[in-house]
Amino acid sequence: MWRRSELTYCSNLHPGEQLAEVEENLARYFSRVVAWRALSDMASGLWLSAAAAGTLQLPESLKAFRETLDRQGVVLTSLNGFPYGNFHQRTVKEAVYLPDWSEPERLKYTCQLAVILASCLPSSVAQGTISTLPLGYRHQWSEEKQQKSIEQLLRLNAELAVLKALEGKHIVVCLEMEPDCVLETTSQLIAFFSALTAANGEYPVHLGVCFDVCHQGVMYEDSYDALRRLTEAGITIGKIQISNAFEVDTDSLRDPVSDVHDLLSEFAEARYLHQVKARRPDGQIMAVSDLSEALASMYMARTGLNDTTSWRVHFHIPLSVSSCIHPAIKPLHDTLNGVFQFLADYQGVVKPYLEVETYTWGVLPAALQPQDDDALIDGIAGELHWLEQQLADRGLLIHD
């Protein structure tokens, strides 16, 4: 079960590559969400870029940062270590996967985050989590990169064991599956952990999974079954990012008098990748790297997109929306419901950190986008209230 103060959101929705910007965001947004929820403090899934993490390697900077966290009501239990650089530059796209896990910069950055988290974890909390990318982007991958990634992750596991001996804090770095990445399906992740375990001689206890609901929904996975399989495989589920994707009814998309194509193009913005997985009548899934590409090529016979029955799109939409501009663009609430049912059925077996991750508030279509700070804070807090209700309905919320 979860207390209200344990439910949080990921701060990667706020621009801020430098430490000063992170601290400004805590005062401008995070503390106001805490107040909106009538809490004295709240857990945080804080995003720190490599630049911010590097600054915090100075003892005096880290000490001042801990004081800032206390002042703003931040209980730091989890970090987002996926985006390395500026996650809000004009165009991010596939650059978000760099450096990948075959490169030394990724290992250095993640180790720095672990030191920060171990230092900032409350004395009453023994375990913290860091989410990270699923090795890299599969279009830029090779067997050599695969082997180097295994080596680096096992080195990370060893470094975190040393950190635990020194600080008494157990840090788990959690690989986050994502469409079109090296690890995009639950089966691939389970197989990879099997390879890690074989190479290590035992399960690497400082590694686990961050289950992003949006990502696995796009993959047409049954979220309950995926989480069950991960649990039965003995893989630590350190964090679940509560997020939502949407599905498009392609009959409406093909209708010449429908405005679905034009409305869907409002989601095809230029900053982030919005991968599309399209289902054919025979159940086979085809992939398109970005929504803009899918919309541009859907009528080309060679692509096969015109014969698909549905599209699922990697775009993190607000959790509580019942429709996305048009009835043919539908949120994947069933995927979220599967997660909540799993958490209810596996009480006492798993208790991951739960973190809302809707980082797309600033790039949503105009009809869904908040127009000022007050509206954004209402949106963030509203998502957390929605999450509270889902847990309460299943007897998973502790009422303080």
Side-chain angles (χ1 to χ4, degrees):
M1 298 176 70
W2 286 262
R3 298 182 184 279
R4 293 180 62 240
S5 61
E6 292 177 314
L7 307 177
T8 191
Y9 75 98
C10 183
S11 72
N12 62 349
L13 73 96
H14 305 307
E17 187 178 4
Q18 302 302 319
L19 180 61
E21 295 172 295
V22 173
E23 294 179 332
E24 179 185 346
N25 288 336
L26 292 176
R28 181 177 174 181
Y29 302 110
F30 186 91
S31 63
R32 291 181 62 188
V33 173
V34 174
W36 192 102
R37 299 181 68 205
L39 297 170
S40 58
D41 56 36
M42 186 172 78
S44 175
L46 195 64
W47 168 56
L48 294 174
S49 72
T55 302
L56 287 171
Q57 299 311 295
L58 300 171
E60 61 272 21
S61 296
L62 186 54
K63 180 177 182 293
F65 185 62
R66 287 196 300 267
E67 293 169 354
T68 298
L69 297 179
D70 289 341
R71 188 166 56 252
Q72 302 298 345
V74 182
V75 180
L76 191 60
T77 53
S78 184
L79 291 173
N80 185 332
F82 197 130
Y84 180 92
N86 185 354
F87 192 51
H88 290 267
Q89 61 192 9
R90 183 183 297 271
T91 303
V92 177
K93 299 294 183 180
E94 63 268 22
V96 74
Y97 308 120
L98 297 175
D100 62 43
W101 262 108
S102 71
E103 299 175 82
E105 294 85 357
R106 176 61 63 174
L107 175 61
K108 178 182 176 181
Y109 166 52
T110 309
C111 286
Q112 288 180 339
L113 291 178
V115 170
I116 295 165
L117 184 55
S119 175
C120 294
L121 273 175
S123 58
S124 59
V125 178
Q127 177 172 300
T129 64
I130 301 170
S131 51
T132 190
L133 73 161
L135 306 188
Y137 195 43
R138 65 180 172 87
H139 300 297
Q140 302 164 346
W141 208 242
S142 66
E143 183 58 33
E144 181 181 357
K145 281 179 172 286
Q146 183 83 1
Q147 292 307 311
K148 188 64 177 177
S149 294
I150 291 174
E151 293 171 14
Q152 293 217 125
L153 283 166
L154 292 181
R155 181 179 170 188
L156 172 68
N157 186 65
E159 294 283 352
L160 295 179
V162 173
L163 182 63
K164 182 176 181 178
L166 293 172
E167 300 288 344
K169 300 296 185 181
H170 187 84
I171 306 300
V172 181
V173 172
C174 302
L175 300 173
E176 179 185 331
M177 295 173 283
E178 181 166 320
D180 288 354
C181 287
V182 180
L183 304 176
E184 64 173 354
T185 69
T186 298
S187 294
Q188 289 171 338
L189 189 87
I190 291 172
F192 183 70
F193 266 85
S194 179
L196 279 176
T197 300
N200 194 49
E202 60 182 353
Y203 180 86
V205 296
H206 292 281
L207 301 178
V209 59
C210 169
F211 190 92
D212 187 297
V213 185
C214 167
H215 296 174
Q216 302 320 114
V218 172
M219 295 303 302
Y220 287 88
E221 289 198 350
D222 180 310
S223 56
Y224 185 104
D225 184 63
L227 289 163
R228 177 193 59 78
R229 291 173 61 207
L230 291 166
T231 301
E232 291 180 356
I235 298 172
T236 301
I237 303 172
K239 182 193 299 190
I240 296 180
Q241 288 181 329
I242 307 297
S243 56
N244 204 359
F246 64 80
E247 185 171 52
V248 183
D249 174 1
T250 51
D251 284 340
S252 297
L253 194 56
R254 286 188 291 266
D255 186 342
V257 299
S258 171
D259 58 354
V260 173
H261 187 282
D262 291 340
L263 291 172
L264 191 58
S265 68
E266 295 184 33
F267 289 94
E269 54 83 31
R271 180 174 298 158
Y272 302 117
L273 271 185
H274 299 293
Q275 301 93 319
V276 176
K277 299 294 182 179
R279 175 172 273 170
R280 295 185 171 120
D282 63 2
Q284 294 296 307
I285 306 298
M286 62 179 297
V288 184
S289 61
D290 207 355
L291 177 60
S292 57
E293 180 185 338
L295 289 170
S297 61
M298 68 169 292
Y299 298 113
M300 299 178 186
R302 61 178 175 79
T303 68
L305 283 172
N306 200 38
D307 297 326
T308 56
T309 58
S310 67
W311 293 3
R312 290 193 173 186
V313 181
H314 175 212
F315 196 117
H316 290 228
I317 58 172
L319 297 174
S320 56
V321 297
S322 56
S323 65
C324 299
I325 304 177
H326 191 283
I329 307 173
K330 302 173 183 177
L332 295 179
H333 286 308
D334 285 349
T335 308
L336 283 160
N337 289 335
V339 171
F340 298 131
Q341 190 59 51
F342 169 82
L343 294 174
D345 290 349
Y346 282 77
Q347 287 187 70
V349 179
V350 297
K351 189 188 174 183
Y353 288 117
L354 301 182
E355 176 183 298
V356 172
E357 198 205 20
T358 308
Y359 62 82
T360 49
W361 284 104
V363 295
L364 284 166
L368 298 173
Q369 191 174 139
Q371 299 304 306
D372 54 30
D373 282 4
D374 289 344
L376 176 58
I377 288 160
D378 284 347
I380 296 167
E383 287 194 296
L384 289 167
H385 178 70
W386 181 90
L387 175 56
E388 287 179 28
Q389 290 301 117
Q390 302 308 308
L391 296 178
D393 289 348
R394 295 162 176 84
L396 293 172
L397 189 67
I398 298 172
H399 296 277
D400 294 322

